[in-house]
mmCIF file of all heavy atoms in Angstrom:
data_model
loop_
_atom_site.group_PDB
_atom_site.id
_atom_site.type_symbol
_atom_site.label_atom_id
_atom_site.label_comp_id
_atom_site.label_asym_id
_atom_site.label_seq_id
_atom_site.Cartn_x
_atom_site.Cartn_y
_atom_site.Cartn_z
ATOM 1 N N SER S 212 -39.472 22.118 15.384
ATOM 2 C CA SER S 212 -39.537 21.703 13.974
ATOM 3 C C SER S 212 -40.382 22.698 13.222
ATOM 4 O O SER S 212 -41.028 23.557 13.811
ATOM 5 C CB SER S 212 -40.093 20.293 13.853
ATOM 6 O OG SER S 212 -41.427 20.244 14.346
ATOM 7 N N ARG S 213 -40.426 22.543 11.907
ATOM 8 C CA ARG S 213 -41.217 23.455 11.081
ATOM 9 C C ARG S 213 -41.742 22.708 9.874
ATOM 10 O O ARG S 213 -41.094 21.801 9.351
ATOM 11 C CB ARG S 213 -40.404 24.673 10.660
ATOM 12 C CG ARG S 213 -39.180 24.408 9.825
ATOM 13 C CD ARG S 213 -38.285 25.639 9.761
ATOM 14 N NE ARG S 213 -38.962 26.726 9.083
ATOM 15 C CZ ARG S 213 -38.631 28.018 9.256
ATOM 16 N NH1 ARG S 213 -37.639 28.371 10.079
ATOM 17 N NH2 ARG S 213 -39.295 28.960 8.610
ATOM 18 N N ASP S 214 -42.927 23.129 9.405
ATOM 19 C CA ASP S 214 -43.534 22.616 8.200
ATOM 20 C C ASP S 214 -43.641 23.776 7.206
ATOM 21 O O ASP S 214 -44.443 24.667 7.406
ATOM 22 C CB ASP S 214 -44.931 22.031 8.496
ATOM 23 C CG ASP S 214 -45.563 21.372 7.284
ATOM 24 O OD1 ASP S 214 -45.339 21.854 6.146
ATOM 25 O OD2 ASP S 214 -46.328 20.414 7.464
ATOM 26 N N GLN S 215 -42.738 23.780 6.221
ATOM 27 C CA GLN S 215 -42.675 24.900 5.310
ATOM 28 C C GLN S 215 -43.945 25.091 4.525
ATOM 29 O O GLN S 215 -44.405 26.214 4.264
ATOM 30 C CB GLN S 215 -41.496 24.768 4.381
ATOM 31 C CG GLN S 215 -40.127 24.506 5.033
ATOM 32 C CD GLN S 215 -39.570 25.736 5.705
ATOM 33 O OE1 GLN S 215 -40.234 26.397 6.521
ATOM 34 N NE2 GLN S 215 -38.284 26.058 5.396
ATOM 35 N N SER S 216 -44.569 23.972 4.115
ATOM 36 C CA SER S 216 -45.762 24.045 3.275
ATOM 37 C C SER S 216 -46.938 24.610 4.055
ATOM 38 O O SER S 216 -47.811 25.314 3.495
ATOM 39 C CB SER S 216 -46.113 22.689 2.702
ATOM 40 O OG SER S 216 -46.441 21.776 3.725
ATOM 41 N N GLN S 217 -46.967 24.370 5.357
ATOM 42 C CA GLN S 217 -48.045 24.854 6.187
ATOM 43 C C GLN S 217 -47.699 26.181 6.887
ATOM 44 O O GLN S 217 -48.537 26.724 7.601
ATOM 45 C CB GLN S 217 -48.404 23.814 7.276
ATOM 46 C CG GLN S 217 -48.903 22.492 6.736
ATOM 47 C CD GLN S 217 -50.235 22.664 5.993
ATOM 48 O OE1 GLN S 217 -51.146 23.342 6.502
ATOM 49 N NE2 GLN S 217 -50.370 22.060 4.824
ATOM 50 N N LYS S 218 -46.476 26.668 6.671
ATOM 51 C CA LYS S 218 -46.005 27.919 7.319
ATOM 52 C C LYS S 218 -46.236 27.846 8.832
ATOM 53 O O LYS S 218 -46.737 28.788 9.452
ATOM 54 C CB LYS S 218 -46.704 29.153 6.734
ATOM 55 C CG LYS S 218 -46.476 29.335 5.250
ATOM 56 C CD LYS S 218 -47.195 30.583 4.744
ATOM 57 C CE LYS S 218 -47.131 30.701 3.237
ATOM 58 N NZ LYS S 218 -47.846 31.898 2.758
ATOM 59 N N THR S 219 -45.848 26.713 9.380
ATOM 60 C CA THR S 219 -46.132 26.467 10.813
ATOM 61 C C THR S 219 -44.870 25.998 11.542
ATOM 62 O O THR S 219 -44.124 25.158 11.033
ATOM 63 C CB THR S 219 -47.257 25.434 10.984
ATOM 64 O OG1 THR S 219 -48.430 25.943 10.354
ATOM 65 C CG2 THR S 219 -47.547 25.190 12.463
ATOM 66 N N LEU S 220 -44.675 26.561 12.722
ATOM 67 C CA LEU S 220 -43.569 26.171 13.608
ATOM 68 C C LEU S 220 -44.180 25.313 14.715
ATOM 69 O O LEU S 220 -45.300 25.557 15.156
ATOM 70 C CB LEU S 220 -42.950 27.452 14.202
ATOM 71 C CG LEU S 220 -41.900 27.309 15.289
ATOM 72 C CD1 LEU S 220 -40.597 26.818 14.682
ATOM 73 C CD2 LEU S 220 -41.709 28.613 16.026
ATOM 74 N N TYR S 221 -43.415 24.341 15.173
ATOM 75 C CA TYR S 221 -43.875 23.477 16.228
ATOM 76 C C TYR S 221 -42.863 23.402 17.389
ATOM 77 O O TYR S 221 -41.667 23.637 17.207
ATOM 78 C CB TYR S 221 -44.054 22.027 15.677
ATOM 79 C CG TYR S 221 -45.105 21.918 14.592
ATOM 80 C CD1 TYR S 221 -44.679 21.767 13.265
ATOM 81 C CD2 TYR S 221 -46.434 21.950 14.879
ATOM 82 C CE1 TYR S 221 -45.616 21.662 12.237
ATOM 83 C CE2 TYR S 221 -47.382 21.837 13.862
ATOM 84 C CZ TYR S 221 -46.957 21.720 12.555
ATOM 85 O OH TYR S 221 -47.890 21.605 11.553
ATOM 86 N N LEU S 222 -43.407 23.042 18.560
ATOM 87 C CA LEU S 222 -42.557 22.699 19.676
ATOM 88 C C LEU S 222 -43.163 21.455 20.319
ATOM 89 O O LEU S 222 -44.254 21.537 20.953
ATOM 90 C CB LEU S 222 -42.471 23.848 20.705
ATOM 91 C CG LEU S 222 -41.479 23.604 21.835
ATOM 92 C CD1 LEU S 222 -40.039 23.555 21.321
ATOM 93 C CD2 LEU S 222 -41.602 24.644 22.951
ATOM 94 N N GLN S 223 -42.516 20.347 20.177
ATOM 95 C CA GLN S 223 -42.931 19.089 20.823
ATOM 96 C C GLN S 223 -42.289 19.049 22.191
ATOM 97 O O GLN S 223 -41.065 19.066 22.332
ATOM 98 C CB GLN S 223 -42.486 17.887 19.989
ATOM 99 C CG GLN S 223 -42.818 16.552 20.627
ATOM 100 C CD GLN S 223 -44.313 16.279 20.673
ATOM 101 O OE1 GLN S 223 -45.034 16.544 19.733
ATOM 102 N NE2 GLN S 223 -44.767 15.752 21.802
ATOM 103 N N MET S 224 -43.122 18.974 23.202
ATOM 104 C CA MET S 224 -42.653 19.005 24.610
ATOM 105 C C MET S 224 -42.962 17.690 25.257
ATOM 106 O O MET S 224 -44.140 17.304 25.399
ATOM 107 C CB MET S 224 -43.309 20.158 25.356
ATOM 108 C CG MET S 224 -43.103 21.522 24.692
ATOM 109 S SD MET S 224 -43.736 22.895 25.655
ATOM 110 C CE MET S 224 -45.475 22.528 25.601
ATOM 111 N N ASN S 225 -41.925 16.947 25.645
ATOM 112 C CA ASN S 225 -42.089 15.650 26.300
ATOM 113 C C ASN S 225 -41.601 15.733 27.736
ATOM 114 O O ASN S 225 -40.874 16.690 28.114
ATOM 115 C CB ASN S 225 -41.295 14.579 25.547
ATOM 116 C CG ASN S 225 -41.781 14.379 24.127
ATOM 117 O OD1 ASN S 225 -42.959 14.625 23.817
ATOM 118 N ND2 ASN S 225 -40.878 13.944 23.268
ATOM 119 N N SER S 226 -41.964 14.758 28.520
ATOM 120 C CA SER S 226 -41.542 14.670 29.927
ATOM 121 C C SER S 226 -41.704 16.024 30.636
ATOM 122 O O SER S 226 -40.798 16.525 31.285
ATOM 123 C CB SER S 226 -40.073 14.237 30.003
ATOM 124 O OG SER S 226 -39.873 13.013 29.343
ATOM 125 N N LEU S 227 -42.902 16.548 30.517
ATOM 126 C CA LEU S 227 -43.158 17.887 31.078
ATOM 127 C C LEU S 227 -43.067 17.892 32.585
ATOM 128 O O LEU S 227 -43.439 16.919 33.263
ATOM 129 C CB LEU S 227 -44.522 18.419 30.609
ATOM 130 C CG LEU S 227 -44.468 18.963 29.158
ATOM 131 C CD1 LEU S 227 -45.888 19.004 28.560
ATOM 132 C CD2 LEU S 227 -43.804 20.332 29.135
ATOM 133 N N ARG S 228 -42.596 19.006 33.118
ATOM 134 C CA ARG S 228 -42.409 19.167 34.572
ATOM 135 C C ARG S 228 -43.142 20.444 35.000
ATOM 136 O O ARG S 228 -43.468 21.313 34.185
ATOM 137 C CB ARG S 228 -40.919 19.316 34.888
ATOM 138 C CG ARG S 228 -40.031 18.281 34.256
ATOM 139 C CD ARG S 228 -38.600 18.344 34.740
ATOM 140 N NE ARG S 228 -37.947 19.615 34.453
ATOM 141 C CZ ARG S 228 -36.732 19.690 33.979
ATOM 142 N NH1 ARG S 228 -36.035 18.586 33.673
ATOM 143 N NH2 ARG S 228 -36.141 20.870 33.791
ATOM 144 N N ALA S 229 -43.347 20.561 36.304
ATOM 145 C CA ALA S 229 -44.035 21.730 36.830
ATOM 146 C C ALA S 229 -43.319 23.032 36.452
ATOM 147 O O ALA S 229 -43.962 24.062 36.167
ATOM 148 C CB ALA S 229 -44.187 21.639 38.349
ATOM 149 N N ASP S 230 -42.007 22.970 36.371
ATOM 150 C CA ASP S 230 -41.268 24.228 36.080
ATOM 151 C C ASP S 230 -41.256 24.550 34.544
ATOM 152 O O ASP S 230 -40.659 25.535 34.160
ATOM 153 C CB ASP S 230 -39.844 24.186 36.617
ATOM 154 C CG ASP S 230 -38.962 23.090 36.032
ATOM 155 O OD1 ASP S 230 -39.483 22.304 35.191
ATOM 156 O OD2 ASP S 230 -37.791 22.990 36.409
ATOM 157 N N ASP S 231 -41.964 23.769 33.771
ATOM 158 C CA ASP S 231 -42.207 24.111 32.364
ATOM 159 C C ASP S 231 -43.463 24.985 32.219
ATOM 160 O O ASP S 231 -43.770 25.454 31.115
ATOM 161 C CB ASP S 231 -42.352 22.855 31.497
ATOM 162 C CG ASP S 231 -41.087 22.056 31.407
ATOM 163 O OD1 ASP S 231 -40.017 22.671 31.252
ATOM 164 O OD2 ASP S 231 -41.162 20.805 31.468
ATOM 165 N N THR S 232 -44.192 25.177 33.320
ATOM 166 C CA THR S 232 -45.367 26.015 33.270
ATOM 167 C C THR S 232 -45.007 27.443 32.853
ATOM 168 O O THR S 232 -44.156 28.085 33.515
ATOM 169 C CB THR S 232 -46.073 26.039 34.658
ATOM 170 O OG1 THR S 232 -46.572 24.750 34.928
ATOM 171 C CG2 THR S 232 -47.196 27.074 34.677
ATOM 172 N N ALA S 233 -45.624 27.914 31.799
ATOM 173 C CA ALA S 233 -45.234 29.233 31.263
ATOM 174 C C ALA S 233 -46.152 29.588 30.089
ATOM 175 O O ALA S 233 -46.855 28.730 29.549
ATOM 176 C CB ALA S 233 -43.790 29.234 30.768
ATOM 177 N N VAL S 234 -46.099 30.877 29.725
ATOM 178 C CA VAL S 234 -46.621 31.282 28.428
ATOM 179 C C VAL S 234 -45.502 31.096 27.418
ATOM 180 O O VAL S 234 -44.359 31.527 27.631
ATOM 181 C CB VAL S 234 -47.047 32.774 28.423
ATOM 182 C CG1 VAL S 234 -47.429 33.243 27.053
ATOM 183 C CG2 VAL S 234 -48.208 32.977 29.417
ATOM 184 N N TYR S 235 -45.831 30.397 26.330
ATOM 185 C CA TYR S 235 -44.836 30.115 25.294
ATOM 186 C C TYR S 235 -45.115 31.000 24.089
ATOM 187 O O TYR S 235 -46.244 31.015 23.555
ATOM 188 C CB TYR S 235 -44.886 28.640 24.875
ATOM 189 C CG TYR S 235 -44.251 27.750 25.924
ATOM 190 C CD1 TYR S 235 -44.907 27.459 27.120
ATOM 191 C CD2 TYR S 235 -42.984 27.200 25.706
ATOM 192 C CE1 TYR S 235 -44.300 26.654 28.097
ATOM 193 C CE2 TYR S 235 -42.380 26.383 26.673
ATOM 194 C CZ TYR S 235 -43.037 26.105 27.859
ATOM 195 O OH TYR S 235 -42.455 25.327 28.808
ATOM 196 N N TYR S 236 -44.111 31.752 23.703
ATOM 197 C CA TYR S 236 -44.202 32.620 22.542
ATOM 198 C C TYR S 236 -43.370 32.078 21.373
ATOM 199 O O TYR S 236 -42.250 31.593 21.584
ATOM 200 C CB TYR S 236 -43.601 34.006 22.864
ATOM 201 C CG TYR S 236 -44.261 34.785 23.958
ATOM 202 C CD1 TYR S 236 -43.762 34.788 25.254
ATOM 203 C CD2 TYR S 236 -45.394 35.561 23.702
ATOM 204 C CE1 TYR S 236 -44.349 35.535 26.246
ATOM 205 C CE2 TYR S 236 -45.986 36.306 24.690
ATOM 206 C CZ TYR S 236 -45.473 36.283 25.964
ATOM 207 O OH TYR S 236 -46.042 37.029 26.949
ATOM 208 N N CYS S 237 -43.889 32.194 20.172
ATOM 209 C CA CYS S 237 -43.022 32.007 19.003
ATOM 210 C C CYS S 237 -42.613 33.390 18.514
ATOM 211 O O CYS S 237 -43.337 34.386 18.713
ATOM 212 C CB CYS S 237 -43.688 31.187 17.916
ATOM 213 S SG CYS S 237 -45.062 32.000 17.054
ATOM 214 N N ALA S 238 -41.441 33.463 17.923
ATOM 215 C CA ALA S 238 -40.898 34.745 17.486
ATOM 216 C C ALA S 238 -40.052 34.542 16.260
ATOM 217 O O ALA S 238 -39.429 33.460 16.105
ATOM 218 C CB ALA S 238 -40.079 35.394 18.633
#
Side-chain angles (χ1 to χ4, degrees):
Chain S
S212 63
R213 62 193 297 157
D214 184 327
Q215 305 287 52
S216 64
Q217 298 295 316
K218 301 180 186 179
T219 300
L220 174 73
Y221 299 104
L222 186 68
Q223 177 68 42
M224 304 185 294
N225 298 333
S226 303
L227 281 161
R228 312 187 299 224
D230 62 358
D231 293 318
T232 294
V234 173
Y235 285 75
Y236 298 98
C237 69

